[in-house]
């Protein structure tokens, strides 16, 4: 039988098609392949320019689809207050993010970028988002499950804007309330901070039982990559000065400041952000021993390490004095992604030159890119790079606001209730003839939310959608009760009016970071005068809205009740819920309340511990009986003494347990 004649041209053409078919299969694009296989395959295809681009994070104001294409940018962020438009809708956010993403996908290898935002107490940059209490309040709840549920809600509201990455949680252990970031810390006690890292499980999803410790985990499209920050010791800076030096021995560093990172890593946190501060004089952004030696090698963290905003610039003093050195020191220390955020071409040029000169090794760059790709693959960004509006209805959702309201209720700490040993002042009666509500923070949503709310520094007035404490009081009292509001009434006003009682709401103005550093810790003027003028003439409950304990001792004898409300966020109704007895007080101080700033720093267990209200203090009330139940007034010296004694005993136990705990944590990770 004769064979058909086949031309060599046909054979070559068939071979060409077969070759093209083989070339089209790229392992990194196959979700069925193991993550490590995908990383290795993609890394092997990348040029140096593509690798350096992946390590670069830029601000949205300098980003464009063309920039993404040209420089292979790996990440974009919104700085505090950086939005596509005032009061931008979810659709505006999604469209903006997708426009950038399309630029990234149009590159040779189509590596998706990851967009990050500071969602530190809800998606707080975004208008109409639910703004939860800041961490200082959540620490007072001592409720890890609440933190987890807040993480779940926050993830949904971040995804509503098309964003898959949140720079949260802050797991700093604030040891001095003069520090401007203290409101971002859950507690002065590392054990409370460790418990509250359950928020990571809400943000990223419950980690599988068989998950390898240290490997990042993000459950799906309704979750976001989280970021434990700021590594490490930022809460211990000398005299509470932001970006300052933390002077600490190894026992203090590993026993106080490091434990929340153990828990964060065990819970699969995707990223870790490095602190601006120094440890014993060594800048953290250049600290190879702690970033690479401890975080990556000892704790076996496999996600990526990101710098803070212009963080590598601050390696030198003044910042950016020797930028090339800063790039070298930062990347060689172990930073994988650099938050530039504006002058990214200089960073790219310097990093490229340093690699070409072998000052930064290619293996260090490959490690950085591998970690970034691991997070992106784990998140499913390669399969679902573009955002849509399927989560748009989650922004400011009623259920989320109810959750925030619950968090407010649980965060309130009752510090005083009555001026006599057997008579409590709270809860307040809903049926009263005439109530005065006063103070700078009673009808100011911006003040209520604090810093990192719509703008980086926060703001004043109706900055977003929410309920002020004044509006909450009005909606809670009986219809027959007259509620009169006067921010700072004078003597004549008080003489002309007959009030059943007064609620005075005062505190701190909004602030963030270094702007919040404060050596005085006084209430915002005219707060002290407002307390004096009102509480000397009518029985009053004072509500403090602040990011930390403030000076209050001089005014205590004037007031019938004192409540620490911290920074409650948008849902002020939670404050009224507890003031008027619909719910009880359950919050306990997660921070020591000092008598005088001269005592600072002062934490539970210190030899000179002599607080106004000790760590763990918090009264309860019995709303069914006119007298005290287990509640005691501030004047009960015996209870204060017992609380202090118990706190000191607890501290000694914790200290004794510290060494064992460190080794147990290390063994668990290993």
């Amino acid at each position: 039988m004769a064979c058909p004649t086949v031309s060599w041209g046909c054979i070559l053409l068939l071979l060409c098609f077969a070759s093209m078919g083989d070339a089209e299969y790229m392992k990194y694009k196959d979700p069925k392949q193991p993550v490590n296989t995908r990383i290795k395959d993609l890394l092997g295809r990348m040029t140096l320019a593509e690798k350096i681009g992946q390590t670069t994070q830029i601000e949205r104001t300098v980003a464009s689809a063309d920039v993404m294409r040209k420089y292979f940018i790996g990440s974009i962020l919104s700085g505090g207050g950086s939005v596509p438009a005032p009061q931008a809708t979810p659709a505006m956010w999604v469209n903006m993010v997708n426009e950038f993403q399309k630029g990234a996908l149009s590159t040779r290898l189509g590596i998706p970028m990851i967009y990050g935002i500071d969602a530190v107490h809800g998606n707080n940059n975004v208008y109409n988002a639910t703004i939860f209490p800041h961490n200082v309040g959540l620490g007072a709840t001592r409720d890890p499950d609440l933190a987890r549920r807040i993480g779940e809600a926050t993830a949904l509201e971040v995804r509503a804007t098309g964003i898959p990455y949140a720079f949260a949680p802050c797991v700093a252990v604030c040891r001095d309330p003069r520090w401007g970031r203290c409101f971002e810390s859950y507690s002065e006690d590392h054990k409370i901070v460790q418990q509250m890292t359950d928020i990571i499980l809400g943000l990223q999803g419950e980690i599988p039982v068989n998950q390898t410790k240290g490997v990042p985990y993000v459950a799906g499209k309704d979750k976001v990559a989280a970021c434990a920050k700021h590594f490490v010791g930022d809460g211990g800076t000398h005299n509470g000065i932001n970006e300052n030096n933390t002077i600490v021995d190894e026992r203090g560093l590993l026993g106080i400041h490091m434990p929340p990172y153990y828990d964060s890593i065990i819970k699969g946190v995707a990223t870790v952000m490095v602190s601006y501060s120094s440890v014993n004089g060594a800048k953290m952004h250049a600290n190879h021993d702690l970033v690479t030696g401890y975080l990556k090698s000892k704790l076996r963290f496999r996600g990526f390490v990101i710098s803070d905003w212009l963080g590598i610039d601050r390696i030198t003093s003044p910042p950016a004095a020797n930028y090339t050195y800063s790039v070298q020191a930062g990347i060689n220390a172990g930073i994988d992604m650099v938050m530039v955020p504006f002058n990214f071409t200089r960073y790219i040029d310097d990093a490229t030159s340093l690699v070409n000169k072998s000052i930064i090794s290619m293996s260090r760059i490959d490690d950085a890119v591998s970690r970034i790709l691991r997070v992106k693959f784990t998140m499913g960004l390669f399969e679902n790079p573009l955002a849509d509006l399927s989560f748009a209805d989650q922004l400011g959702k009623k259920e989320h606001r109810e959750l925030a309201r619950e968090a407010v209720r649980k965060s309130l700490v009752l510090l005083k209730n009555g001026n006599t040993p057997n008579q409590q002042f709270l809860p307040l009666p809903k049926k009263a003839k005439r109530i005065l509500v006063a103070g700078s923070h009673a009808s100011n949503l911006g003040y209520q939310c604090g810093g990192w709310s719509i703008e980086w520094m926060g703001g004043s007035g109706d900055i977003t959608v929410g309920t002020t404490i004044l509006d909450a009081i009005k909606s809670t009292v009986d219809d027959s009760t007259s509620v009169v509001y006067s921010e700072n009434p004078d003597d004549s006003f008080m003489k002309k009016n007959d009030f059943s009682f007064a609620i005075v709401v005062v505190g701190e103005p909004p602030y963030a970071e270094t702007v919040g550093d404060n050596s005085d810790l006084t209430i915002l003027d005219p707060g002290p005068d407002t307390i004096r003028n009102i509480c000397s003439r009518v029985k009053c409950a004072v509500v403090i809205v602040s990011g930390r304990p403030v000076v209050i001792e001089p005014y205590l004898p004037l007031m019938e009740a004192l409540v620490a409300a911290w920074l409650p966020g948008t849902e002020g109704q939670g404050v009224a819920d507890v003031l008027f007895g619909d719910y009880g007080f359950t919050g306990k101080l997660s921070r020591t309340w000092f008598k005088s700033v001269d005592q600072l720093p002062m934490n539970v267990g210190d030899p000179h511990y002599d607080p106004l209200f000790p760590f763990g203090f918090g009264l309860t009330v019995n709303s069914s009986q006119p007298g005290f139940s287990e509640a005691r007034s501030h004047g009960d010296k015996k209870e204060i003494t017992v609380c202090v004694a118990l706190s000191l005993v607890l501290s000694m136990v914790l200290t004794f347990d510290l060494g064992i705990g460190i080794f147990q944590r290390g063994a668990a990770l290993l």
Side-chain angles (χ1 to χ4, degrees), residues 278-300:
S278 303
V279 172
N280 298 324
K283 288 279 190 179
M284 275 307 310
H285 272 75
N287 197 320
H288 179 274
D289 289 346
L290 286 174
V291 176
T292 294
Y294 203 89
L295 177 63
K296 290 184 173 181
S297 300
K298 182 83 171 179
L299 300 186
R300 298 187 178 181

Side-chain angles (χ1 to χ4, degrees), residues 426-437:
L426 299 178
L428 299 168
K430 294 180 182 179
K431 287 187 177 182
K433 184 177 180 181
R434 194 169 169 84
I435 300 173
L436 172 64
V437 179

